[in-house]
């Protein structure tokens, strides 16, 4: 394939990726966006395979076969609740790939066209160093995020005295190792840079608390894009540069939007050690005071919702764990038949990753017009008869507005407490992922419906039908 044709096809693939991002910005166009992404990726892979630089198809096809089989098995067995962990795992592979490509380029510069007997070009060493550092940080950072999301590592921030100073020193050491690599181009400098970056990736995610994990997943997505972009320069591949920049910038923008939705800054998320001390604040557990809790049944919930004019449903991670979205769809249809206005309120960080609740509701074919973001629905809670919270906790906790000592203080929440009646479907009174007690459980207008979310919703449906 001629270089001109290859460049043209890469350009077309890049346009497809841009159209994919545009399509994925809205639920109504998400399917079309996915289609653009698939076409672009297929075109990119095909163009690369027919590049004149490809000397052996056996190794490439072997890798495609192994990776394809593993990917297929994962896709068939993965549960929707484990999607955030899967995303974090994929990010780690992108970072590892960047480090491996950089190592290959360092050991065989003539193959990559970045140098020869006279040494590697300085510009290539700079690109290689940046790609390696970002890729290594992405790799171990994503592994740590996977561990926290999967429960292998506690969701509470893991901090130690002088942590910020140590991380700052480590960052300076990485810069020094990168400079060493740029000047001398030695193998030792490369592996020192890699080791230091791997360590920094671990230390950057360790102090991140549970409530900030969606932002971290988004940031790691951005890191993986920039790592790919840096290696794109090393490989002199325009498509990799463009797509890496697209992923990096879009991930950074999404992280900013999510932080804005939480009333926090990126620096505050990374350095704050947010969301872990369940004993902090002034909730019932902190004071040692046993407060009464009003409990109810599926029949009670049915009576309240069937006699309501407006119901707002707030989904959370508990809905994802129980896979209750399909039963919820059936319940909503029954309520609408009774003339009840039903909508879904979505918090920007509900669940474990950006858009987690939107994906689950879309899977259950919930109409897009019934799904409303926090800023657009918060004012409506005061005029709502029933707010039904399914497995959400931190995003409805009034302590974010009333308790300056709480680790979630300042985070915008859904004002469910303003509804006439609040129904909470939860397995227990346990705190949320941020480890903060929810005082809303003990308020006079709150009724707790203890049990598995899916089973409780199915019981409500049964009561409605009777």
């Amino acid at each position: 394939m001629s270089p001109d044709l290859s460049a043209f096809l890469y350009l077309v693939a890049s346009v497809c990726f841009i159209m994919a991002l545009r399509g994925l910005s809205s639920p109504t166009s998400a399917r079309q966006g996915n289609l653009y992404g698939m076409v672009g990726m297929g075109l990119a892979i095909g163009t690369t395979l027919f590049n004149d630089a490809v000397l052996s198809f056996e190794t490439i096809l072997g890798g495609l076969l192994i990776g394809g089989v593993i990917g297929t098995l994962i896709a068939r067995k993965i549960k929707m609740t484990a999607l955030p962990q899967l995303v974090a795992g994929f990010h780690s592979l992108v970072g590892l790939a960047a480090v491996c490509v950089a190592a290959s380029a360092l050991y065989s510069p003539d193959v990559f066209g970045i140098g020869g007997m006279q040494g590697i070009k300085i510009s290539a060493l700079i690109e290689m160093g940046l790609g390696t550092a970002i890729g290594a940080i992405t790799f171990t950072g994503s592994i740590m995020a996977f561990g926290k999301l999967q429960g292998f590592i506690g969701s509470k921030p893991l901090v130690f005295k002088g942590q910020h100073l140590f991380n700052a020193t480590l960052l300076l050491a990485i810069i020094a190792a990168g400079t060493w690599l740029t000047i001398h181009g030695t193998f030792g400098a490369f592996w020192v840079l890699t080791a230091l970056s791997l360590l920094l990736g671990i230390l950057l995610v360790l102090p991140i608390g549970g409530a900030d994990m969606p932002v971290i997943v988004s940031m790691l997505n951005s890191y993986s894009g920039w790592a790919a972009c840096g290696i794109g320069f090393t490989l002199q591949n325009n498509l990799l540069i463009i797509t890496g920049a697209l992923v990096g910038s879009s991930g950074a923008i999404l992280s900013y939007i999510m932080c804005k939705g939480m009333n926090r800054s990126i620096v505050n998320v990374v350095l704050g050690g947010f969301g872990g001390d369940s004993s902090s604040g002034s909730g019932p557990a902190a004071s040692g005071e046993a407060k009464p809790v009003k409990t109810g049944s599926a029949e009670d919930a049915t009576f309240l919702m069937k006699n309501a004019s407006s119901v707002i449903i707030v989904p959370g991670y508990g809905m994802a764990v129980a896979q209750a979205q399909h039963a919820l769809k059936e319940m909503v249809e029954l309520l609408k038949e009774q003339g009840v206005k039903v909508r879904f309120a979505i918090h920007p960080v509900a669940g474990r990753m950006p858009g987690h609740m939107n994906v689950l509701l879309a899977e259950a074919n919930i109409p897009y017009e019934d799904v409303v973001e926090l800023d657009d629905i918060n004012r409506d809670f005061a005029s709502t008869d029933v707010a039904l919270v399914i497995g959400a906790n931190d995003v409805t906790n009034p302590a974010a507005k009333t308790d300056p000592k709480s680790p979630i203080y300042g985070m915008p929440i859904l004002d469910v407490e303003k509804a006439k009646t609040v129904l909470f479907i939860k397995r227990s009174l346990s705190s949320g992922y941020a480890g903060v007690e929810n005082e809303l459980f003990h308020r006079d207008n709150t009724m707790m419906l203890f049990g598995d979310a899916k089973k409780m919703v199915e019981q409500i449906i049964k009561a409605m039908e009777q």
Side-chain angles (χ1 to χ4, degrees):
M1 182 181 296
S2 67
D4 291 341
L5 179 58
S6 177
F8 174 76
L9 293 177
Y10 277 156
L11 179 61
V12 174
S14 300
V15 173
C16 287
F17 292 143
I18 294 172
M19 295 299 293
L21 287 176
R22 181 181 179 182
L24 292 171
S25 64
S26 171
T28 56
S29 58
R31 289 182 182 273
Q32 187 179 29
N34 269 324
L35 181 60
Y36 276 119
M38 293 166 62
V39 171
M41 184 57 67
L43 187 60
I45 293 174
T47 303
T48 302
L49 287 176
F50 287 98
N51 193 294
D52 293 337
V54 175
L55 302 179
S56 173
F57 285 99
E58 289 80 3
T59 304
I60 295 175
L61 292 176
L64 287 173
L65 180 61
I66 295 172
V69 170
I70 294 174
T72 300
L73 292 175
I74 292 175
R76 290 178 63 87
K77 293 185 177 181
I78 196 71
K79 296 180 180 180
M80 289 298 293
T81 51
L83 191 59
Q85 297 92 298
L86 180 64
V87 172
F90 284 162
H91 290 165
S92 72
L93 295 179
V94 175
L96 181 62
V99 175
C100 290
V101 171
S104 299
L106 181 67
Y107 280 85
S108 302
D110 53 325
V111 174
F112 290 82
I114 59 175
M117 297 297 294
Q118 295 78 21
I120 302 175
K121 301 174 184 177
I122 293 180
S123 59
L125 289 171
I126 295 174
E127 297 156 3
M128 193 185 305
L130 288 173
T132 299
I134 300 174
I137 291 172
T138 303
F139 174 64
T140 51
S142 298
I143 293 296
M144 297 302 297
F146 174 87
K148 283 178 174 281
L149 291 167
Q150 189 66 23
F152 298 149
I153 304 172
S155 63
K156 295 183 180 181
L158 301 176
V159 296
F160 55 87
K161 187 176 181 179
Q163 187 173 37
H164 297 334
L165 178 60
F166 184 83
N167 287 350
T169 304
L170 192 58
L171 178 60
L172 292 175
I174 289 174
I175 295 174
T179 304
W180 177 21
L181 175 65
T182 302
I183 295 175
H184 299 288
T186 62
F187 299 147
F190 174 82
W191 292 115
V192 168
L193 173 64
T194 302
L196 293 174
S197 300
L198 290 172
L199 178 59
L200 182 60
I202 296 174
L203 296 177
L204 283 178
V205 179
L206 271 180
I208 305 302
D212 274 347
M213 287 312 297
V215 181
I216 291 303
V217 171
S218 178
M219 289 178 63
L220 290 169
N221 176 47
S222 178
Y223 292 166
S224 67
W226 295 123
C229 182
I231 293 303
F233 282 101
T234 301
L235 297 176
Q236 301 178 35
N237 188 305
N238 293 332
L239 179 65
L240 198 54
I241 294 171
I242 295 172
T243 54
L246 286 173
V247 173
S249 57
S250 61
I253 293 171
L254 179 58
S255 300
Y256 170 77
I257 292 173
M258 295 183 68
C259 284
K260 186 178 179 181
M262 296 171 64
N263 193 30
R264 294 164 62 74
S265 67
I266 290 286
V267 175
N268 187 241
V269 170
V270 174
L271 300 180
F274 172 64
D277 188 2
S278 60
S279 64
S280 62
S282 57
S287 62
E289 178 185 356
K291 290 189 175 183
V293 175
K294 185 189 300 182
T295 61
S297 63
E299 289 74 17
D300 297 324
T302 298
F303 177 81
L304 289 168
M305 288 192 288
K306 287 184 69 173
N307 289 281
S309 60
S310 174
V311 173
I312 297 179
I313 301 173
V314 179
Y317 188 64
M319 184 192 76
V321 172
Q323 289 290 283
Q325 61 269 25
H326 297 283
L328 196 60
K329 163 74 170 176
E330 186 178 351
M331 187 194 79
V332 169
E333 290 178 346
L334 291 174
L335 285 173
K336 287 184 175 181
E337 290 175 2
Q338 299 288 327
V340 182
K341 181 181 180 180
V342 185
R343 290 173 294 169
F344 291 82
I346 304 298
H347 193 281
V349 294
R352 296 293 186 268
M353 62 176 287
H356 197 180
M357 296 301 105
N358 301 76
V359 171
L360 293 175
L361 296 178
E363 181 196 14
N365 293 318
I366 301 293
Y368 300 134
E369 59 270 18
D370 292 346
V371 181
V372 189
E373 300 297 328
L374 178 147
D375 292 336
D376 298 323
I377 202 170
N378 239 5
R379 63 178 66 90
D380 296 341
F381 280 104
S383 59
T384 298
D385 295 311
V386 177
L388 175 62
V389 184
I390 305 181
N393 198 328
D394 301 320
V395 298
T396 64
N397 196 335
K401 298 186 295 183
T402 61
D403 186 3
K405 295 181 180 180
S406 173
I408 64 171
Y409 183 71
M411 182 180 82
I413 62 167
L414 291 161
D415 296 329
V416 298
E417 78 276 8
K418 294 182 179 179
K420 184 178 180 180
T421 301
V422 181
L423 300 176
F424 254 101
I425 300 180
K426 274 181 64 68
R427 293 179 181 271
S428 67
L429 291 174
S430 61
S431 60
Y433 197 53
V436 183
E437 296 293 332
N438 195 338
E439 63 181 82
L440 187 56
F441 297 161
H442 309 277
R443 294 198 177 182
D444 292 336
N445 66 329
T446 299
M447 179 182 291
M448 302 298 299
L449 306 173
F450 292 116
D452 176 83
K454 183 178 180 180
K455 292 181 180 179
M456 180 59 68
V457 173
E458 289 174 344
Q459 291 174 17
I460 293 174
I461 293 172
K462 185 178 180 180
M464 286 183 177
E465 292 174 340
Q466 292 176 348

